[in-house]
Amino acid sequence: MLPLSGSELAEVVLDKKAHKGDRFDDLDLAGVNHQRVQIKSHGTGDRSLTLRDFTTQQINFRLDDVISNLSIPTIPVDLYRLFTTYGTPDETISCYLIDDPSIPPLLANVATTRYRLDIEKLWPEGSPATVNVLKDLERDQVLTFCSHFVIELGCPLSSNDLGIPGGLEKTLLALLSNGLGIGTYPNNNRDLADAAAQLIYTATSARGSNRILRERDVLGALRVRVDYGRVAQNLSVEQLRLVERHQQVVQLRRQLEEQNRLAVTGPPGIGKSWFLSLLAENL
C-alpha cells in the first residue's frame, strides 16, 4: 500500500472481480477519479514487454479477451491500467505504443514509464486491424478502450522480505518515514519495519476477505498519531548539540510586526516546533 499519485482516494478494493472475465480486478481505486488496475510482476532478471503479452495467454491479458470482457460499471471508470515490473518494450510492440509522461504514475515517488496504445497503428481508420486478435471486434470498441487504457512499466521488484528490502519495500519504508513521519515525534516510538509489516498484513487481509479499505483503516493499522495540532510538545534538548537560533527569532519577530500571519514549513524532524518554542520564549 503506497501513496497513489494524482488521486484523493475514498476507498480501495483489492482482488475483486466486477464480473466474470474481469481482467482489472487487482485494485479498484475510487475517489475523485475511478481507476481499475491489473498488476503483473516477473521474477528475477530482465523482462521486456512484448506483443505476445497482448496476443496470447502468456500473461492472461489477450487484448480481445480484455476488451470483450469490459462491462459498463456502476461507477464510470476514468482509467484502466496495466501496472507491471516489466522493462523497456521490445521491437515487436514498440511501434504500437505512444509514450505519455503526462499520465501520473500509479505510485508517487516511483519512477516508471507510461504508454498508451496507438489506435492508428493497431487499426488504421478505413483498414483492417493490423493485430490479428482484434479482427472479431469493432474498431469503435478498440478506440474507446485505447482512450481509457494505460500501460505502466518499470515498477521496482519486491523481495517480500522487510529484513532485506527490495526496491518496492524501500519505497514503502521511505514513504512511512518521510511522508508520515514514523520514527519522529510524535511517532518516534513507532518502529518503521513493524509499521510496514502491519500495513502489508492489513492489505493482505483485506484482499482475502474482499474488504474495502478506507483511510481510517490504514491509519488504524499503522497506529500513528495524526492530530499534530493537539499533541503536547516534548522537546528534549542536548545542550552540547544545541544550535541557537536567536538571529532567526529576531528576524521572524520583525516579520510579524509587518504581517500577523506566517507559515513555518519543513519535513518532519527539521526543528519547526523547537524554533517556534524559542519564538514563544522570546515573546
Side-chain angles (χ1 to χ4, degrees), residues 6 11 34 43 48 80 96-97 104 144 174 191 198 243 257-258 268 271-273:
E11 59 185 41
H34 185 199
S48 296
Y80 293 97
Y96 296 107
L97 300 178
T144 299
D191 181 75
Q198 287 293 327
V243 177
E257 291 172 359
E258 298 175 2
K272 300 183 297 295
S273 299

Side-chain angles (χ1 to χ4, degrees), residues 139-250:
R139 185 179 187 274
D140 284 348
Q141 280 181 279
V142 181
L143 175 61
T144 299
F145 175 72
C146 289
S147 66
H148 291 84
F149 177 59
V150 61
I151 301 166
E152 185 165 359
L153 306 179
C155 175
L157 288 170
S158 170
S159 67
N160 295 316
D161 185 348
L162 288 169
I164 311 173
L168 200 59
E169 287 85 5
K170 288 178 181 177
T171 299
L172 175 59
L173 293 170
L175 159 71
L176 295 176
S177 175
N178 302 328
L180 292 180
I182 290 178
T184 58
Y185 188 84
N187 294 303
N188 50 303
N189 294 322
R190 191 73 177 93
D191 181 75
L192 191 58
D194 179 66
Q198 287 293 327
L199 198 56
I200 292 169
Y201 173 77
T202 300
T204 303
S205 298
R207 180 182 183 184
S209 61
N210 290 327
R211 184 163 60 94
I212 295 173
L213 289 178
R214 297 182 173 86
E215 182 180 282
R216 63 176 179 272
D217 303 315
V218 175
L219 293 176
L222 288 172
R223 302 199 303 276
V224 293
R225 295 198 67 171
V226 295
D227 55 342
Y228 298 110
R230 297 189 295 275
V231 176
Q233 296 299 302
N234 179 21
L235 304 172
S236 57
V237 177
E238 295 182 36
Q239 293 297 328
L240 292 177
R241 301 178 63 185
L242 176 62
V243 177
E244 301 288 353
R245 298 290 184 190
H246 296 307
Q247 182 178 348
Q248 287 80 6
V249 169
V250 171

Side-chain angles (χ1 to χ4, degrees), residues 39-110:
I39 300 170
K40 299 293 182 183
S41 178
H42 70 290
T44 58
D46 295 330
R47 204 288 194 187
S48 296
L49 185 76
T50 73
L51 185 60
R52 283 178 54 82
D53 293 327
F54 298 98
T55 59
T56 70
Q57 295 298 350
Q58 184 165 275
I59 62 170
N60 195 29
F61 205 82
R62 213 174 100 155
L63 268 182
D64 53 336
D65 290 338
V66 172
I67 297 172
S68 297
N69 283 297
L70 285 181
S71 68
I72 300 175
T74 305
I75 304 173
V77 176
D78 298 289
L79 196 66
Y80 293 97
R81 189 186 298 253
L82 177 62
F83 181 75
T84 81
T85 59
Y86 306 159
T88 306
D90 74 3
E91 66 280 357
T92 65
I93 194 172
S94 58
C95 62
Y96 296 107
L97 300 178
I98 301 172
D99 188 359
D100 192 348
S102 68
I103 301 169
L106 179 66
L107 305 178
N109 304 319
V110 176

